[in-house]
Amino acid sequence: MATELHETIFMAKQGRHKNLFLNYKNLNIFPVELLKDEGLQFLERLYMKRNSLTTLPDNLAQKLPNLIELYLHSNNIVIIPEAIGNLARLQSLDLSNNALQMLCPEIGRLRSLRHLRLSNNQLKCLPPEIGDLQDLETLDLAMNQLMSLPDRLHRCHSLQNLTVDHNLLSHVPRQLCWLHRLNQLSMAANRLTFLPLDLGRSRELQFVFVDSNVDLKGLPSYLYNKVIGCSGCGVSSQALEEVGEALTDALVGLPAEVKVIGSQTDNVVPLEELAMRTMHRIYHHRPAGLNLLPSIILPKSLLDLLQFPLGHCHRCSQAMFTIIYPKLFPLRDTALAGVHRRATVSFVAYCCSSRCLQTFDLQG
């Protein structure tokens, strides 16, 4: 096996190969032949799946500077070195089915990265720097131990496919709704109790899977015309409930910023909410060069809320900050009842006033 390995690497060097396949080679350490002398300067794709590697060399980028794709699926890698950030041309990195317990912040320096696969590891958190991957299109985090997602993930402006199945997520940051190129979002088999009010507002988002979140009982009404998976949701209480009780259950997990839950009889919007809406209009629609709200006079929490409101009215798109007017549509009473037979959930329309609440129609 060693002789065969040496010959394979020797031929790759001599022929200036762009692709090198070292899958199923029973490798315990990274082959030193790849790192000798000038390395493999012409190599663009390295396949090392199903070996027994536990780490990567610090000089990987120095010896393989032109790597575009690196496949390390099914090894025993526990940690990746900080030098991974030096692979400036890397576009695809597959570290799925390893033993990773953490991801170094330097992962955010892979500015050319388009596909990152980290499924079936032991990750408990992600570094905020992952939000620096602005060209990232695919992020697979399934089968880890994540309890939250970084707020800065919304900076991955190119993200199209996000998979976080089989983790420990109890909530999703509302900033996720600002991923305007996101087409598919899968969060099945977590511990979700609530979804962001704006989830599904983006026309680009067409596929949302939240199956087997047994305590999730409310889906934003934006998802009604999407392809959704919600089998096994809401099954923690199978008994039929009164409308008031069902609405209360669907709103479990509401963000702390929600101070008031309005109803059809509430004809006056609270002053605090009106003030926030006015500040939001000024903040986002002020003339170029006119700074009416210098950031120094506003606390960070307020600035964050102005930048990322709780959501937008499902009827008129008015931004909302401290109050919502929810309207419940049990899935069993909609046209989708026959499709989702194992889901005890409701669509929830979040409106900005009693007027919008009364006129909202799920069918559009």
Side-chain angles (χ1 to χ4, degrees):
M1 180 66 74
T3 301
E4 179 187 347
L5 177 65
H6 295 164
E7 290 180 357
T8 300
I9 296 176
F10 177 78
M11 293 296 294
K13 283 187 174 182
Q14 291 296 107
R16 296 187 172 185
H17 293 176
K18 293 185 177 181
N19 303 321
L20 180 57
F21 296 88
L22 298 178
N23 303 322
Y24 300 95
K25 298 294 185 182
N26 294 321
L27 297 174
N28 295 310
I29 60 173
F30 205 86
V32 293
E33 292 83 1
L34 286 176
L35 308 173
K36 284 182 178 179
D37 303 322
E38 74 281 0
L40 276 75
Q41 300 289 318
F42 295 89
L43 194 66
E44 294 182 353
R45 296 172 185 85
L46 177 57
Y47 300 81
M48 301 187 72
K49 298 180 181 179
R50 297 195 178 277
N51 284 287
S52 299
L53 301 175
T54 58
T55 188
L56 300 176
D58 288 329
N59 60 344
L60 183 64
Q62 179 184 351
K63 299 299 182 179
L64 307 175
N66 291 305
L67 270 186
I68 295 176
E69 299 176 9
L70 178 57
Y71 298 97
L72 297 162
H73 181 287
S74 299
N75 278 274
N76 296 318
I77 298 174
V78 176
I79 191 170
I80 54 176
E82 297 176 358
I84 191 77
N86 295 328
L87 290 168
R89 298 190 61 200
L90 196 65
Q91 296 181 16
S92 184
L93 176 60
D94 188 349
L95 284 161
S96 53
N97 289 79
N98 276 280
L100 289 173
Q101 297 183 14
M102 63 172 293
L103 206 58
C104 61
E106 285 71 20
I107 197 80
R109 291 168 50 199
L110 298 174
R111 300 303 172 85
S112 299
L113 198 64
R114 297 174 62 183
H115 307 285
L116 178 58
R117 294 177 173 87
L118 298 165
S119 63
N120 200 15
N121 277 279
Q122 301 170 29
L123 296 171
K124 292 182 173 63
C125 63
L126 297 175
E129 288 79 6
I130 203 165
D132 296 334
L133 303 175
Q134 297 193 11
D135 288 340
L136 193 66
E137 298 176 4
T138 303
L139 178 57
D140 187 354
L141 300 164
M143 301 180 70
N144 278 281
Q145 301 170 28
L146 298 172
M147 300 183 69
S148 63
L149 295 174
D151 290 343
R152 281 170 56 180
L153 192 60
H154 75 277
R155 297 184 183 180
C156 298
H157 303 300
S158 302
L159 195 60
Q160 299 175 20
N161 192 324
L162 174 59
T163 303
V164 207
D165 298 339
H166 294 276
N167 276 275
L168 304 174
L169 300 179
S170 59
H171 70 283
V172 179
R174 64 177 180 270
Q175 289 88 341
L176 208 65
C177 300
W178 270 258
L179 290 170
H180 296 303
R181 295 187 183 179
L182 191 64
N183 178 256
Q184 178 168 312
L185 174 62
S186 190
M187 302 180 291
N190 277 277
R191 298 177 178 177
L192 297 174
T193 59
F194 187 81
L195 296 177
L197 279 63
D198 273 353
L199 189 64
R201 185 169 183 253
S202 168
R203 292 183 179 180
E204 199 66 32
L205 184 59
Q206 291 296 318
F207 305 90
V208 177
F209 304 103
V210 290
D211 306 81
S212 301
N213 283 280
V214 297
D215 293 319
L216 181 63
K217 299 174 184 177
L219 306 177
S221 68
Y222 286 126
L223 297 179
Y224 182 69
N225 292 316
K226 311 288 186 177
V227 177
I228 59 173
C230 56
S231 176
C233 289
V235 297
S236 60
S237 60
Q238 289 283 2
L240 294 178
E241 301 169 301
E242 297 294 331
V243 174
E245 295 176 353
L247 181 57
T248 299
D249 284 347
L251 298 179
V252 169
L254 268 175
E257 291 88 349
V258 178
K259 298 181 179 179
V260 180
I261 298 177
S263 67
Q264 292 188 18
T265 59
D266 297 333
N267 297 319
V268 179
V269 177
L271 182 60
E272 181 181 6
E273 178 70 14
L274 292 175
M276 289 295 296
R277 294 179 187 181
T278 301
M279 291 176 66
H280 181 261
R281 283 193 292 270
I282 296 174
Y283 186 76
H284 285 276
H285 302 292
R286 65 187 183 276
L290 181 61
N291 191 6
L292 296 178
L293 292 173
S295 58
I296 191 171
I297 67 172
L298 295 175
K300 183 179 184 303
S301 59
L302 182 56
L303 279 173
D304 289 343
L305 193 56
L306 287 173
Q307 184 178 6
F308 302 107
L310 286 177
H312 294 78
C313 178
H314 292 198
R315 175 69 176 84
C316 72
S317 293
Q318 166 68 54
M320 300 179 292
F321 301 90
T322 63
I323 186 172
I324 58 170
Y325 294 77
K327 189 173 185 177
L328 200 70
F329 298 87
L331 188 150
R332 63 175 180 268
D333 297 336
T334 72
L336 299 180
V339 180
H340 303 283
R341 295 175 179 172
R342 290 191 61 245
T344 310
V345 296
S346 299
F347 291 100
V348 185
Y350 299 99
C351 300
C352 68
S353 66
S354 58
R355 181 178 180 180
C356 283
L357 182 67
Q358 294 169 13
T359 57
F360 181 87
D361 182 3
L362 187 63
Q363 306 293 338

